Each structure stands twice: as structure tokens, then as C-alpha cells.
Amino acid sequence: MSDRDVSTTAGPALAPDLAAVRADAIDRLREAGIPTPEADADLLIGHVLGFSRGQVQAKALIAAPLDAEQRMIIAESIERRASREPVQHITGRAGFRTLELEVGPGVFVPRPETEQVVQHAIDALVTVASPLPLAVDLGSGSGAIALALAVEVPHARVVAVENSPAAFVWTNRNVRRWGDDRVRTVFADLADALPELDGTVDVVASNPPYIPRDAVPRDPEVRLFDPAHALYGGEDGLDAVRAVSTTARRLLHPGGTLVLEHGELQAADIAALLRADGWSAIAHHRDLLGRDRATTATR
């Protein structure tokens, strides 16, 4: 029998299934230096398909099929992440405690460490004797702190203050979704915000810009995509902290609480600043990695 008698016609190539697409995505992100390639691949694939991370992994195990459009959108999302665009910008969503917030260009993406910082504000707010305690979030950005306070302390009233037009769009979007008539947004600068509330506020919380002007962040996701107004706090990084201290002293009643997020090496300088401004009961709080990332003080 000659070679001509043997059929060598190949069947149609099988389209890549979810297992293959997921494996390729993880490899691509790992090659790009993404520190969490598997988690990011699962999040992006899940966003496209409407699945949780667990569902992505389960569907990959059974080699679930994908259509051409799904494969194309996943590939585009993975390439965006490989260029170091944050996952949250690609999905348009950022998880924060119990919330899913809308985020995108112009607003700082809330970080897990801020979830721990806001717990100090929640703890202070729930101990207020008033049936309607009042909190202010200075420099609200996405509204993460303000909305966490409102959702987790349902009898509280909260004011979210933001002075960036680009960020204020996101503040309002998230307040419309998660807030109610207890949450109010105000477009104002830290230095002169809310004079009508002087001496009446129970808790002021803030995650202000605190990076020194010349200290460029190492992570491309931060350096290239987070807005500069949410990162840099002047020559020593403390310009906005000084404004928060002054404004919070004005807003809080005696005995009110300030909760402030800051860089891990700034605790001593911030304590000195707050002490000079007349604050008492100044205390630093460490994050899960043992770094001083929050300071509380009493008016």
C-alpha cells in the first residue's frame, strides 16, 4: 500500500477551552512580572464570563468551552493587565470590605490596608452615645471610607468631602449606589470644608495623599495609573496631613476622634504634628504586616 492510499487529512482544530485560555493567561501575566498572575487571571476571566474566581477554576477543570468573542475579550483584558494597568481599572470595580465600588481613571483605587484603617473609625463611631452620630471622610475619592462607615454603622450620618473634579464623579456614583439620605457628598478643599459643622462632628477619617514629592512609587500600577493628587503630599508628604489636622480640630467636638492613614515611616512625624496642634491620646496602629499605617487621636 502506497503512502497515497493513507488519508492524512486533519480534522478542524479545536478552539481553546477555558483551561487552555486560563493557563495561557497565567503564563502571560507571569512573564510580564505581575506578582499575582493566577489570581489576576481568574479575576479578569471571571469578569468577562460573569463568574467568581472559584467558578473560573471549577469551569477550567472541566474544560468548559469558550466562544470566539469571549476569548478575544479575555485576551484583551490580559494584555491590559500585562501592561500593568490595575485589575480594578480593567473591571471597573474594586472590592472594599462589604462593598463593590466603581473605580476608574481619575480616582485612587482603595487598598486592603485602608480596610483595616476604617475599622478604627467604625469602632469610634459605634461608641458615640448620640442616636445619630456624625462622621466626615476628608478626601473621599471613591467614597470607600464614607460608605463603609454608613453601611456598617447604619444609624450614622456621613459626609464625604472631595476636591478633585475627576474623583468626585466616582464619589457620587458610589454614593448613589450604596448610600442613602444619610450620606452626603460635598465638593470642597480640605482646608476650608464644612464650616457649618464646626464643633459638631464625632469622627473624622481620612486617607490623604502622603507620599513625599520626590518619592516615586515603585509599583507601575500606582505610579502610572493612580492620580497624582491622591498620592503626593508636598515636599515631606505631610501637607495634606497638616490640613486634615487643622480641619478635623475645627470640625470635631471635644472628645471627638480623628483616624488618619499614613505611610509606614511617618508615624513619629505625624505624632509630633498632632501633638503640636493640641491633639491628645495619640496612638499608632499596625497593619497585618506589622507596619505603622494608621494614627488615631482625640480632640
Side-chain angles (χ1 to χ4, degrees):
M1 184 171 62
S2 71
D3 290 342
R4 292 189 184 92
D5 297 323
V6 179
S7 174
T8 58
T9 303
L14 295 177
D17 58 34
L18 180 53
V21 167
R22 179 176 181 269
D24 287 345
I26 293 170
D27 288 344
R28 177 70 183 97
L29 295 181
R30 185 177 290 115
E31 290 169 2
I34 301 300
T36 53
E38 184 171 339
D40 289 11
D42 288 345
L43 287 168
L44 292 172
I45 293 170
H47 175 68
V48 174
L49 302 180
F51 293 159
S52 67
R53 281 190 62 195
Q55 288 173 317
V56 170
Q57 294 164 6
K59 295 287 187 180
L61 286 175
I62 62 172
L66 297 174
D67 63 36
E69 183 178 8
Q70 290 170 330
R71 294 194 302 273
M72 180 187 69
I73 297 172
I74 290 170
E76 290 173 351
S77 297
I78 295 300
E79 283 306 310
R80 289 172 66 183
R81 182 68 187 111
S83 72
R84 304 309 288 260
E85 185 174 354
V87 169
Q88 297 89 342
H89 278 205
I90 301 169
T91 65
R93 298 286 187 271
F96 187 81
R97 293 180 72 93
T98 64
L99 306 169
E100 184 184 63
L101 302 171
E102 295 186 41
V103 295
V107 71
F108 183 78
V109 174
R111 304 297 202 266
E113 50 264 35
T114 305
E115 296 187 23
Q116 297 175 250
V117 175
V118 78
Q119 185 64 53
H120 299 294
I122 290 170
D123 292 343
L125 202 54
V126 297
T127 63
V128 175
S130 168
L132 291 172
L134 176 60
V136 171
D137 174 14
L138 291 175
S140 194
S142 67
I145 292 176
L147 289 167
L149 292 173
V151 169
E152 298 188 47
V153 189
H155 62 291
R157 297 164 296 151
V158 185
V159 183
V161 178
E162 177 54 56
N163 71 345
S164 161
F168 197 55
V169 171
W170 299 101
T171 315
N172 283 310
R173 282 189 189 179
N174 287 313
V175 168
R176 281 195 298 268
R177 180 180 180 189
W178 293 103
D180 51 31
D181 58 5
R182 297 178 301 111
V183 184
R184 179 164 62 99
T185 61
V186 174
F187 186 82
D189 191 79
L190 290 176
D192 52 17
L194 308 174
E196 72 277 10
L197 296 182
D198 285 358
T200 68
V201 178
D202 297 294
V203 175
V204 171
S206 183
N207 179 17
Y210 52 72
I211 298 175
R213 182 184 297 120
D214 296 330
V216 179
R218 294 186 299 271
D219 293 340
E221 291 84 350
V222 178
R223 184 174 67 251
L224 300 177
F225 293 95
D226 275 326
H229 72 263
L231 297 177
Y232 300 105
E235 185 174 353
D236 63 356
L238 299 180
D239 284 359
V241 174
R242 294 183 182 94
V244 168
S245 174
T246 299
T247 300
R249 286 277 300 175
R250 170 171 57 78
L251 291 174
L252 290 168
H253 59 68
T257 300
L258 170 66
V259 179
L260 185 66
E261 182 172 335
H262 52 74
E264 61 186 291
L265 302 179
Q266 294 176 318
D269 289 339
I270 287 175
L273 185 161
L274 295 177
R275 197 173 296 113
D277 282 352
W279 294 90
S280 62
I282 299 167
H284 305 304
H285 306 275
R286 295 183 176 182
D287 64 14
L288 294 177
L289 298 178
R291 305 171 301 180
D292 286 326
R293 293 301 309 277
T295 293
T296 55
T298 301
R299 166 77 164 85

